[in-house]
Amino acid sequence: MGDCFTGRGILIGGITFLSPQEAFALLSEGKAVLLDIRDEFETNGRAFTVPEVLRLAHQQPDEAFLALPKERPFVVADCVGQLSKEKVRLLLAHGYEAAVLNGGMIDWERSGMPVEIDRDAELVGSCVCQ
């Protein structure tokens, strides 16, 4: 396994948690690929704007995740960082290099990282999920 995440982020229980700024630096330099595991309905019309993004909904079977190429490290992202831990554990157990985007898309956007917003797909109203 590589060392893309060594010395970066916070290591908790064998999993690296990257801040949006740390993840953006790695992703924009082409050192990692963002793996967006949000279901379509969870995107709220928001897409990560980085050079390489793969989309694979977290509900897909483990086999789908284990079919990903092992050559590149993955920063795994969801809405808030909760579901990513499960998928990172799976990937690490099978020899992948992977880390969690701490806070998911919510913290990514709040931190001012690049986001493409489709206003036609954006949720509106008083729901706290926004």
Side-chain angles (χ1 to χ4, degrees):
M1 182 152 59
D3 61 355
C4 180
F5 306 121
T6 302
R8 301 177 197 272
I10 299 170
L11 188 63
I12 302 172
I15 297 176
T16 300
F17 292 81
L18 299 172
S19 71
Q21 295 83 355
E22 291 167 320
F24 179 70
L26 289 170
L27 295 164
S28 63
E29 294 169 8
K31 294 180 179 176
V33 176
L34 190 123
L35 178 58
D36 185 350
I37 65 167
R38 297 174 298 159
D39 287 318
E40 188 63 37
F41 73 89
E42 294 175 312
T43 66
N44 191 24
R46 283 155 171 73
F48 294 95
T49 308
V50 293
E52 293 181 79
V53 179
L54 293 177
R55 299 261 340 252
L56 187 58
H58 70 89
Q59 295 174 332
Q60 294 295 315
D62 289 350
E63 292 77 23
F65 285 88
L66 300 178
L68 293 167
K70 286 189 176 182
E71 297 81 37
R72 301 288 305 282
F74 290 100
V75 175
V76 182
D78 60 25
C79 292
V80 296
Q82 188 65 28
L83 298 171
S84 296
K85 292 184 289 189
E86 171 190 337
K87 295 307 176 188
V88 167
R89 279 189 193 102
L90 171 72
L91 293 171
L92 292 173
H94 287 86
Y96 290 82
E97 189 173 8
V100 171
L101 172 59
N102 203 26
M105 175 54 90
I106 299 293
D107 282 359
W108 179 269
E109 186 175 11
R110 284 184 185 156
S111 297
M113 299 298 107
V115 176
E116 181 179 320
I117 301 174
D118 177 353
R119 296 292 179 195
D120 292 331
E122 188 175 31
L123 297 173
V124 294
S126 59
C127 178
V128 295
C129 61
Q130 301 174 46

